[in-house]
Amino acid sequence: MATLYKSTFSTPVGGLTILLEDNTMVICEFADRQHRVEEQIKRFYPNHEITETPLPESLREKLEAYFAGDRDILNSIPSGPIGTPYEQSVWKALQEIPAGNTMSYGELAKQLGSSPRAIGRANGRNPVCLIHPCHRVIGADGSLTGYAGGLDRKEWLLKHEGAILNL
């Protein structure tokens, strides 16, 4: 039986639940969204044993560095979320939005030859928040729309990355 290693990590905007398969992050969700973690496990990892373990030091250091201000460190974290080929293409495109920048659903849809609604659905199914930074996708008018972790977190993350000025 395969194993997923489950850890938690505290952030300024709430705890994260992180699941690793070997050294690859497959789930990263805010701890108060536990139902999303359970749905992912049930859907994609039903035959895996879940083992609670401390977060590997190298991953903990990278997450600490991000929350201390190193906006680009998340790009060095290996991830492998399971999804449809379309979802995979959207999640990969999310990683190409530089920290400190945003892109509208429409812009991302145009880039991928898709529709804003389809982008929104794929974003909403993203099981690896932060690493596949769906918080960097905003409404066409600049509004902070749709974020599974909550709009308050989306705003905090965008301010932290410098995409929104703290006024």
Side-chain angles (χ1 to χ4, degrees):
M1 177 179 284
T3 302
L4 291 180
Y5 299 95
K6 182 178 179 183
S7 304
T8 57
F9 180 78
S10 294
T11 80
V13 287
L16 289 173
T17 298
I18 297 169
L19 281 94
L20 303 170
E21 187 168 32
D22 299 318
N23 290 318
T24 301
M25 188 181 293
V26 295
I27 297 174
C28 178
E29 294 280 357
F30 285 99
D32 61 351
R33 306 295 199 254
Q34 194 60 31
H35 66 283
R36 288 177 54 89
V37 173
E38 292 166 7
E39 288 171 9
Q40 289 289 326
I41 292 170
K42 184 178 178 181
R43 183 172 177 197
F44 297 114
Y45 306 99
N47 299 319
H48 284 64
E49 177 181 330
I50 308 298
T51 300
E52 300 267 346
T53 185
L55 197 62
E57 186 173 340
S58 63
L59 181 54
R60 182 185 50 75
E61 288 173 354
K62 288 177 182 181
L63 290 169
E64 286 173 350
Y66 171 76
F67 285 102
D70 184 346
R71 303 180 319 180
D72 298 319
I73 192 80
L74 298 179
N75 294 337
S76 68
I77 296 175
S79 63
I82 295 176
T84 67
Y86 176 77
E87 290 168 342
Q88 294 280 341
S89 70
V90 172
W91 301 337
K92 182 177 184 326
L94 295 174
Q95 291 184 299
E96 295 170 9
I97 303 170
N101 292 273
T102 59
M103 181 178 281
S104 74
Y105 291 91
E107 290 171 317
L108 190 53
K110 185 176 181 180
Q111 176 183 316
L112 296 176
S114 186
S115 75
R117 282 184 189 256
I119 296 294
R121 274 193 303 277
N123 256 8
R125 292 182 180 154
N126 175 14
V128 186
C129 74
L130 300 179
I131 312 309
H132 296 264
C134 49
H135 62 275
R136 296 179 188 155
V137 183
I138 61 173
D141 62 357
S143 61
L144 304 183
T145 60
Y147 185 60
L151 292 181
D152 55 332
R153 285 190 179 117
K154 183 173 189 163
E155 180 178 8
W156 189 95
L157 291 166
L158 291 173
K159 285 180 178 178
H160 174 68
E161 294 179 353
I164 297 177
L165 298 177
N166 290 310
L167 301 175

